[in-house]
Short mmCIF file of all heavy atoms in Angstrom, two decimals:
data_model
loop_
_atom_site.label_atom_id
_atom_site.label_comp_id
_atom_site.label_asym_id
_atom_site.label_seq_id
_atom_site.Cartn_x
_atom_site.Cartn_y
_atom_site.Cartn_z
N LEU A 1414 -2.41 24.71 -12.60
CA LEU A 1414 -1.83 23.83 -11.58
C LEU A 1414 -0.89 22.78 -12.18
O LEU A 1414 0.16 22.48 -11.62
CB LEU A 1414 -2.94 23.14 -10.77
CG LEU A 1414 -3.82 24.07 -9.92
CD1 LEU A 1414 -4.97 23.29 -9.28
CD2 LEU A 1414 -2.98 24.74 -8.82
N ARG A 1415 -1.28 22.20 -13.33
CA ARG A 1415 -0.44 21.12 -13.85
C ARG A 1415 0.88 21.61 -14.43
O ARG A 1415 1.78 20.82 -14.68
CB ARG A 1415 -1.21 20.24 -14.83
CG ARG A 1415 -1.59 20.86 -16.14
CD ARG A 1415 -2.36 19.83 -16.97
NE ARG A 1415 -2.93 20.43 -18.15
CZ ARG A 1415 -3.68 19.77 -19.02
NH1 ARG A 1415 -3.94 18.50 -18.84
NH2 ARG A 1415 -4.17 20.38 -20.09
N LYS A 1416 0.97 22.93 -14.61
CA LYS A 1416 2.25 23.49 -15.09
C LYS A 1416 3.26 23.60 -13.96
O LYS A 1416 4.45 23.82 -14.20
CB LYS A 1416 2.01 24.87 -15.71
CG LYS A 1416 1.47 24.79 -17.12
CD LYS A 1416 1.50 26.16 -17.78
CE LYS A 1416 0.80 26.10 -19.15
NZ LYS A 1416 -0.21 27.14 -19.32
N ILE A 1417 2.80 23.46 -12.73
CA ILE A 1417 3.71 23.62 -11.57
C ILE A 1417 4.83 22.59 -11.63
O ILE A 1417 6.00 22.90 -11.45
CB ILE A 1417 2.93 23.50 -10.24
CG1 ILE A 1417 1.97 24.67 -10.09
CG2 ILE A 1417 3.90 23.43 -9.05
CD1 ILE A 1417 1.07 24.59 -8.85
N ALA A 1418 4.46 21.32 -11.87
CA ALA A 1418 5.46 20.25 -11.93
C ALA A 1418 4.84 19.01 -12.55
O ALA A 1418 3.60 18.89 -12.58
CB ALA A 1418 5.97 19.92 -10.52
N ASP A 1419 5.67 18.09 -13.01
CA ASP A 1419 5.15 16.87 -13.66
C ASP A 1419 4.40 15.96 -12.69
O ASP A 1419 3.59 15.15 -13.12
CB ASP A 1419 6.30 16.07 -14.28
CG ASP A 1419 6.87 16.77 -15.50
OD1 ASP A 1419 6.19 17.67 -16.04
OD2 ASP A 1419 7.99 16.42 -15.91
N ASN A 1420 4.73 16.08 -11.39
CA ASN A 1420 4.07 15.17 -10.43
C ASN A 1420 2.83 15.77 -9.77
O ASN A 1420 2.33 15.24 -8.79
CB ASN A 1420 5.06 14.67 -9.36
CG ASN A 1420 5.78 15.75 -8.61
OD1 ASN A 1420 5.94 16.86 -9.12
ND2 ASN A 1420 6.23 15.46 -7.41
N VAL A 1421 2.32 16.87 -10.33
CA VAL A 1421 1.06 17.42 -9.80
C VAL A 1421 -0.09 16.52 -10.25
O VAL A 1421 -0.16 16.11 -11.41
CB VAL A 1421 0.82 18.86 -10.29
CG1 VAL A 1421 -0.63 19.27 -10.07
CG2 VAL A 1421 1.73 19.83 -9.57
N CYS A 1422 -0.95 16.21 -9.30
CA CYS A 1422 -2.16 15.42 -9.57
C CYS A 1422 -3.34 16.36 -9.29
O CYS A 1422 -3.45 16.89 -8.18
CB CYS A 1422 -2.17 14.21 -8.63
SG CYS A 1422 -3.67 13.24 -8.70
N ILE A 1423 -4.16 16.58 -10.28
CA ILE A 1423 -5.27 17.54 -10.12
C ILE A 1423 -6.40 16.89 -9.32
O ILE A 1423 -6.87 15.80 -9.66
CB ILE A 1423 -5.80 18.01 -11.49
CG1 ILE A 1423 -4.67 18.59 -12.36
CG2 ILE A 1423 -6.93 19.03 -11.29
CD1 ILE A 1423 -3.98 19.81 -11.80
N LYS A 1424 -6.79 17.58 -8.25
CA LYS A 1424 -7.85 17.05 -7.40
C LYS A 1424 -9.16 17.77 -7.76
O LYS A 1424 -9.21 19.00 -7.80
CB LYS A 1424 -7.48 17.34 -5.95
CG LYS A 1424 -8.00 16.35 -4.95
CD LYS A 1424 -7.40 16.71 -3.59
CE LYS A 1424 -7.82 15.77 -2.52
NZ LYS A 1424 -7.43 16.29 -1.21
N VAL A 1425 -10.20 16.97 -8.02
CA VAL A 1425 -11.50 17.55 -8.37
C VAL A 1425 -12.56 16.94 -7.47
O VAL A 1425 -12.45 15.79 -7.05
CB VAL A 1425 -11.87 17.28 -9.86
CG1 VAL A 1425 -10.85 17.90 -10.81
CG2 VAL A 1425 -12.04 15.80 -10.15
N PRO A 1426 -13.62 17.71 -7.17
CA PRO A 1426 -14.68 17.16 -6.33
C PRO A 1426 -15.56 16.19 -7.11
O PRO A 1426 -15.67 16.29 -8.33
CB PRO A 1426 -15.48 18.41 -5.92
CG PRO A 1426 -15.27 19.37 -7.05
CD PRO A 1426 -13.88 19.11 -7.56
N LEU A 1427 -16.20 15.30 -6.37
CA LEU A 1427 -17.06 14.31 -7.02
C LEU A 1427 -18.43 14.93 -7.32
O LEU A 1427 -19.40 14.77 -6.55
CB LEU A 1427 -17.21 13.04 -6.19
CG LEU A 1427 -17.48 11.81 -7.08
CD1 LEU A 1427 -17.01 10.55 -6.45
CD2 LEU A 1427 -18.89 11.73 -7.58
N THR A 1428 -18.46 15.69 -8.43
CA THR A 1428 -19.69 16.31 -8.93
C THR A 1428 -19.73 16.02 -10.43
O THR A 1428 -18.74 15.51 -10.99
CB THR A 1428 -19.64 17.84 -8.72
OG1 THR A 1428 -18.49 18.36 -9.44
CG2 THR A 1428 -19.54 18.22 -7.25
N VAL A 1429 -20.82 16.36 -11.06
CA VAL A 1429 -20.91 16.16 -12.52
C VAL A 1429 -19.78 16.93 -13.21
O VAL A 1429 -19.04 16.39 -14.04
CB VAL A 1429 -22.29 16.62 -13.05
CG1 VAL A 1429 -22.31 16.59 -14.57
CG2 VAL A 1429 -23.40 15.74 -12.49
N ASP A 1430 -19.60 18.19 -12.82
CA ASP A 1430 -18.54 19.00 -13.44
C ASP A 1430 -17.15 18.46 -13.10
O ASP A 1430 -16.24 18.47 -13.93
CB ASP A 1430 -18.67 20.47 -13.02
CG ASP A 1430 -19.84 21.14 -13.71
OD1 ASP A 1430 -21.00 20.79 -13.39
OD2 ASP A 1430 -19.61 21.99 -14.59
N GLY A 1431 -17.01 17.98 -11.87
CA GLY A 1431 -15.73 17.42 -11.45
C GLY A 1431 -15.38 16.19 -12.29
O GLY A 1431 -14.24 16.03 -12.73
N LEU A 1432 -16.35 15.35 -12.53
CA LEU A 1432 -16.08 14.13 -13.30
C LEU A 1432 -15.89 14.42 -14.79
O LEU A 1432 -15.09 13.75 -15.46
CB LEU A 1432 -17.17 13.08 -13.07
CG LEU A 1432 -17.21 12.49 -11.65
CD1 LEU A 1432 -18.18 11.32 -11.58
CD2 LEU A 1432 -15.84 12.05 -11.16
N LYS A 1433 -16.58 15.45 -15.29
CA LYS A 1433 -16.33 15.87 -16.68
C LYS A 1433 -14.88 16.33 -16.81
O LYS A 1433 -14.18 16.01 -17.77
CB LYS A 1433 -17.25 17.06 -17.05
CG LYS A 1433 -18.59 16.64 -17.61
CD LYS A 1433 -19.50 17.83 -17.79
CE LYS A 1433 -19.17 18.69 -19.01
NZ LYS A 1433 -20.14 19.81 -19.16
#
Side-chain angles (χ1 to χ4, degrees):
L1414 295 174
R1415 69 180 171 181
K1416 280 191 187 129
I1417 294 175
D1419 289 343
N1420 55 335
V1421 165
C1422 173
I1423 305 298
K1424 210 174 181 190
V1425 299
L1427 208 153
T1428 59
V1429 172
D1430 287 69
L1432 292 188
K1433 271 173 77 177

